[in-house]
Amino acid sequence: MTLLCITNDVPDLRSCTIRDQHLSTCENGKCGGCLPRPAEHGLLCYSCATKFDDALALSVDLISHCRSIESGPRDSSGIRSAPGSRVILPTSWVQADTLYRQLAAVAVAYSVDWGVDEPEWDITASHHNGFHPEAPIEAVWWVTDILTRYVSAATELLRTKHHGAEQAVRYVAAVQTALHAFPLDEKPHAVRHVRCRVCGHESLRVKPPLEHLDPIVVECSNLACGALWDPQMVEWDIRQLREQIEAERAKEAAA
C-alpha cells in the first residue's frame, strides 16, 4: 500500500500533487496535476519534508524579524497578550505570535505522539498566546531558538505520526504566509548540469521553496521559455546523467 502525503488526508489543507501528472480518472482539461504525491519522509512527501526543513532553518530569523519590526496597521481586535492587559499589536508582531504558536503546536504534537517531555517553556512566550508584549528581542530570539532546536531534533520521528505530520505542514503554511507578508532576502539558485526539457538551455533554477504559497518549483530562467518543472523530474534527469557517466567510465575501464 502506497502512503500518500498527509496533505491528502486533511480536508482544509491543499493536497500535494505532482505538477502535470494526472489520475486516470481526471477529465478536467484545466487541471494542473491531480496525481497525489507519495509520502517519502514519514507521512510527508518530498516537497513537504523539504519545505519543513527549510521552515525550521528560517524560524529563528523569521520570527525575530517579525517581532523586531512594527509593520502594517495595528490589529484593532485588541488581542489579549498578557493576563489583565489589552494590548493592540502591530500586524508583524501578531504574525510572530502566530508562528511561535504553530511551532509550539508541532512540539506539543510530537510530545503527545511519543509520550516524551515537552520543550522548556519560558515566561517570554506562551504556546497558547505567543510572546509577552514587553519581551525584548533578545529573549524572543532565545526562546525561539530553544523551541526550534527541540523540533529539529525530533523531525525524523514527529513526521511519522499523523498529528505531528499535520502540525508540521501547518507550520510550513504559517511560514509561507509570514514570508509573503514580511519577506527575508531569499534568492532562487541555479540547477547545474541539467537542461530545460523545452528549450534545451542549461537555465533551470529552483525558486525558494517558501517564496510562494505553492509547492517547490523549478523554473526555466530563459525569458523565451519560462517552463515550470516538478523537482522530481529534475532529480530524474540528474539520475540519468549519473548513470550515463558511470556507464561510460565502466566501459572505458573495461576497454
Side-chain angles (χ1 to χ4, degrees), residues 158-173:
L158 73 84
R159 63 193 183 192
T160 63
K161 293 194 176 183
H162 191 282
H163 192 194
E166 177 183 339
Q167 294 304 323
V169 293
R170 291 190 186 281
Y171 182 62
V172 169

Side-chain angles (χ1 to χ4, degrees), residues 45-131:
C45 66
Y46 164 86
S47 180
C48 282
T50 301
K51 287 188 288 186
F52 183 57
D53 289 343
D54 286 348
L56 289 177
L58 288 176
S59 290
V60 177
D61 287 341
L62 180 59
I63 292 176
S64 299
H65 167 64
C66 290
R67 193 55 170 71
S68 64
I69 60 177
E70 294 191 12
S71 179
R74 290 178 176 268
D75 190 336
S76 60
S77 62
I79 293 177
R80 191 177 298 277
S81 299
S85 68
R86 193 171 183 81
V87 181
I88 308 302
L89 301 178
T91 305
S92 56
W93 286 31
V94 174
Q95 188 70 75
D97 288 341
T98 299
L99 288 170
Y100 185 86
R101 290 198 307 268
Q102 185 53 51
L103 184 58
V106 180
V108 171
Y110 165 69
S111 172
V112 172
D113 282 345
W114 292 92
V116 298
D117 292 337
E118 293 183 3
E120 178 183 350
W121 303 112
D122 183 83
I123 60 172
T124 298
S126 163
H127 56 288
H128 297 297
N129 299 318
F131 297 104

Side-chain angles (χ1 to χ4, degrees), residues 134-150:
E134 297 181 1
I137 191 60
E138 294 81 7
V140 169
W141 189 97
W142 181 69
V143 297
T144 303
D145 184 61
I146 290 176
L147 183 57
T148 301
R149 289 177 182 273
Y150 176 94

